[in-house]
Every structure is written in C-alpha cells, then in structure tokens.
Amino acid sequence: MKVLGIETSCDETAAAVVENGDHLLSNTVASSLDLHVPYGGVVPEIAARSHIEVILPIIDAALREAHLHIDAIDALAVTQGPGLGGSLLIGVLTARTLALAYHKPIFAINHVTAHVYANFITASNLPGYALPSSQPQFPLLALIVSGNHTQIVLFHGYFNHQLLGQTHDDAIGEAFDKVAKMFGLPYPGGPSIARWAVHGDANRYQLPKAKLTGHYDFSFSGLKTATLRIAQAAIGADFTLPSYELASRLSDTQKADIAASFQRVAIETVVDKTVGASQEFQPRSIVIAGGVAASAELRRQLADRLPVAVSCPDLKLCTDNAVMVATLGCFKARFGQTPADPYALDIEPNLSM
Ligand code: KG4
Ligand code: ZN
C-alpha cells in the first residue's frame, strides 16, 4: 500500500510517499519561510501564492525520489485542515484533480492528528533519518506542540482518541515566536530562543505557570506578558516601554537569561501535564509531535522526568511535512475508512481533533 501525501496547511508545500504506514519512500518540502521573515510571521497571501508556484514540481519530485510513477500509487492523502484557507485550498484542489485524473481514492487528513503519525515511521530508503526501531503502541499518549496547537491527546486506537486538554489562548510555539519577536530575533522563534538560551541562566528570572481548572489545559498568554514585563524591568523601564525598543536596549546577557528562563518555564508547563497524564492513564507509549517537538529542552526535560522513553520523530518530521499525512492516509486505507468524494472534498480551516 503506497500513499502519496500532500500538505499545504501553512507555509510549507510538501509531498511524500509512504508505504504500509511505516516505510518512508520520499519526503520533499519547499518552504516559503524566507519570504515571511521580513514580516515576523506567515503572511497568508504570500504562502498561498507560493504553494501555487511549487506544488506540481514538489509532487513530481516526491514521486521521482520514490522511483514511482503516479500509476503505482494506491491512494492519495491530503491535509484538509486546520490551517490557512488559501493555503489548504491549493493542496486539496491539486489532490482532487489527481484523484480524478488517475482514478485514485483520496483520504482527507487532519493536520494536527497527522503530526502524531510522524512517530509511526520506522524505516526509510533515504539517508539521514534517525527513526525509532518500532511503532508506538496503544493506548498512546501524545503531546502535540506546534505554532498553532498545544494539546494532550490519548489515543485508544488509530481512530479513537480523547482530547485531554488544550490551550485556551496562544499555542506554545506561538509564545516562542512572539517572545523572539520582542527581542528582535528571527522567525521562527523556537530555534532562535533555543540558540540564545544555550548561553543564558535558566533560573535567573522566575516566570509564572498558568493554573487552569481543566487538569490538562494550557495558557501561554500570561507567560508571554510576564516575559515582556521582566524584560522591561531588566532595563529599568516600566510597562509603557514599547516592546520594539527592547531588542536594542537589552544586553546580550539579559537576552540570553530571559530566553533561557522563558524556555525553561514554557517547556516545564507542557512537561508537567504530560507527566501527570502519564501517571493517570498509564499509556503504553508516549510520543511528542509538532514543530516544538524539535526542542532539545523539551526532549531533555521529558527524559529527566518520565520513567519510560518518549518517542520523538526525526527533526525533519517534527515541523510540517507530508510524510505524516501519507502515513495517516496509509492507516485510513488499511483499516477501511471511507475515502472522500473527489468532486466534493472541501477545506476545513478550523477543523479540530
Ligand atoms: O508544526 P509546525 O511546523 O507548524 C505548525 O503547524 O504550527 O510548528 C512551527 C512552530 C513554530 O512556532 C516554531 O517556533 C516552533 O514550531 N519550533 C520550536 C523549535 N523548532 C520549531 N519551538 C521550540 N524549540 C524549537 N527548537
Ligand atoms: Zn503543523
């Protein structure tokens, strides 16, 4: 069973071929990230235009890398949502057209759920992938942390999951991006903060963790504001100082210490809840997924505090990619899920899990 996955929910245009839900045959990604850097975040119109320009060459490259003609593909899988409307539209319309032209079934994929399935890849024809030796087992606890999502989900089976908690405001990746912007560091903020944090004292500043009634719910907007206040206070200013002045007025030591303290607390917040859920639900596997799963600090804290090993996707499979989409597509096809109607499949920008 070979599935061609297509992903265009944000600024990455990606296509990949996965066989039998565990074997990676190809993975191609074109990012329009460089075009968004001057704006400090993804500009939806620029992302959509860029998808149009590269989607066909990217699909072509994924098929060539897998040494396959599209005739040899058994099914298509495409991200239906959540994501940017204009971006999703390009992927979904392309997939629908291919499904009709080549008579292939097409499976609609939830982008957030798909992130978890990056952990099911255990073999690859391609060099340079650090993959787990076996697939995760159910019940599976997943911490999904990206620029748009922060969720803890318990999977009882492939298509049976329970949302334990999620963020009430900013996603954790979004908090990293906003704090980085405050310091004049480039987008995406996660890696920028991580680079500064290496040289900083993570205990120099005490920042708050939000307490919410929902046991596994999150909030990051208070942490973001507290970080701004600490940065203002560090240079002797009050809350009226505009955040765009911080980049030039903070010393390198102050920036490094604030970045390290923020990173420690933001990551501790999600690790606390993951440890709690692991104790309460006793899952057989624990996985992390989404762009923030690339964080070395997250991997370190989880390894320190959990008694069982946590499965982490290869870094190339943490950020947006089509491998995860094709993998979930393989399971949908294998377990007899109904394919979508290629004449009617629509985008769902606000799709939830
Ligand atoms: O999953 P993803 O590629 O796109 C979304 O679906 O959101 O995640 C992107 C997010 C960005 O917010 C970025 O700052 C964050 O992942 N990120 C990180 C790291 N690498 C990427 N956050 C913390 N530490 C990192 N090393
Ligand atoms: Zn994502």
Side-chain angles (χ1 to χ4, degrees):
M1 165 69 62
K2 297 186 189 73
V3 173
L4 170 66
I6 297 172
E7 153 67 37
T8 62
S9 66
C10 192
D11 57 330
E12 270 95 13
T13 317
V17 182
V18 171
E19 185 167 18
N20 297 334
D22 63 357
H23 197 139
L24 169 58
L25 299 184
S26 67
N27 178 22
T28 55
V29 184
S31 175
S32 57
L33 184 65
D34 292 354
L35 303 175
H36 306 286
V37 167
Y39 305 96
V42 175
V43 183
E45 289 78 6
I46 294 177
R49 197 171 319 141
S50 165
H51 287 308
I52 296 177
E53 285 167 9
V54 300
I55 185 129
L56 293 178
I58 282 291
I59 291 172
D60 212 33
L63 289 169
R64 263 187 287 116
E65 189 173 54
H67 304 292
L68 292 171
H69 185 268
I70 194 162
D71 288 337
I73 294 293
D74 298 293
L76 299 165
V78 64
T79 301
Q80 177 184 34
L84 301 170
S87 291
L88 289 166
L89 207 52
I90 311 305
V92 166
L93 289 177
T94 306
R96 281 172 53 177
T97 308
L98 292 175
L100 287 167
Y102 293 97
H103 308 289
K104 305 288 178 193
I106 179 173
F107 291 95
I109 300 295
N110 179 315
H111 174 90
V112 185
T113 313
H115 267 298
V116 173
Y117 282 85
N119 287 285
F120 284 74
I121 294 292
T122 56
S124 173
N125 284 9
L126 312 174
Y129 282 81
L131 299 171
S133 53
S134 59
Q135 291 188 322
Q137 311 229 317
F138 300 109
L140 181 171
L141 183 69
L143 172 67
I144 307 170
V145 277
S146 76
N148 294 300
H149 299 276
T150 309
Q151 312 188 325
I152 296 196
V153 184
L154 185 65
F155 284 74
H156 301 283
Y158 289 104
F159 310 110
N160 174 11
H161 60 253
Q162 177 187 355
L163 180 62
L164 301 180
Q166 61 186 327
T167 181
H168 285 218
D169 40 58
D170 290 352
I172 182 171
E174 190 180 354
F176 270 93
D177 295 339
K178 286 177 176 169
V179 168
K181 193 170 182 179
M182 207 151 80
F183 294 162
L185 305 178
Y187 176 85
S192 298
I193 296 273
R195 274 192 294 277
W196 277 80
V198 169
H199 309 290
D201 174 359
N203 293 303
R204 173 77 180 80
Y205 297 102
Q206 296 315 312
L207 289 156
K209 286 185 208 165
K211 292 197 175 56
L212 297 150
T213 42
H215 221 53
Y216 297 111
D217 283 348
F218 303 95
S219 165
F220 289 99
S221 65
L223 172 61
K224 187 186 62 190
T225 308
T227 307
L228 170 63
R229 295 287 175 263
I230 274 178
Q232 290 164 326
I235 53 171
D238 69 9
F239 69 93
T240 56
L241 182 86
S243 57
Y244 58 76
E245 287 198 17
L246 288 169
S248 58
R249 293 184 51 184
L250 285 166
S251 71
D252 283 359
T253 308
Q254 286 168 329
K255 276 187 199 169
D257 288 347
I258 297 170
S261 302
F262 162 79
Q263 177 177 256
R264 175 180 62 78
V265 173
I267 296 293
E268 249 172 44
T269 304
V270 294
V271 171
D272 287 349
K273 310 248 170 178
T274 309
V275 171
S278 151
Q279 285 161 354
E280 183 174 349
F281 298 101
Q282 301 284 319
R284 288 181 73 187
S285 295
I286 303 174
V287 309
I288 56 175
V292 183
S295 163
E297 176 69 9
L298 175 62
R299 294 170 180 223
R300 188 189 62 72
Q301 286 195 26
L302 284 171
D304 278 358
R305 292 185 49 196
L306 282 170
V308 293
V310 175
S311 167
C312 313
D314 183 274
L315 294 185
K316 294 181 281 304
L317 303 180
C318 285
T319 44
D320 289 350
N321 64 83
V323 175
M324 62 191 203
V325 175
T327 306
L328 179 50
C330 285
F331 292 116
K332 287 199 166 197
R334 187 201 290 176
F335 294 110
Q337 297 263 305
T338 312
D341 177 352
Y343 289 101
L345 175 60
D346 207 355
I347 59 166
E348 296 266 5
N350 298 315
L351 189 64
S352 57
M353 274 189 79

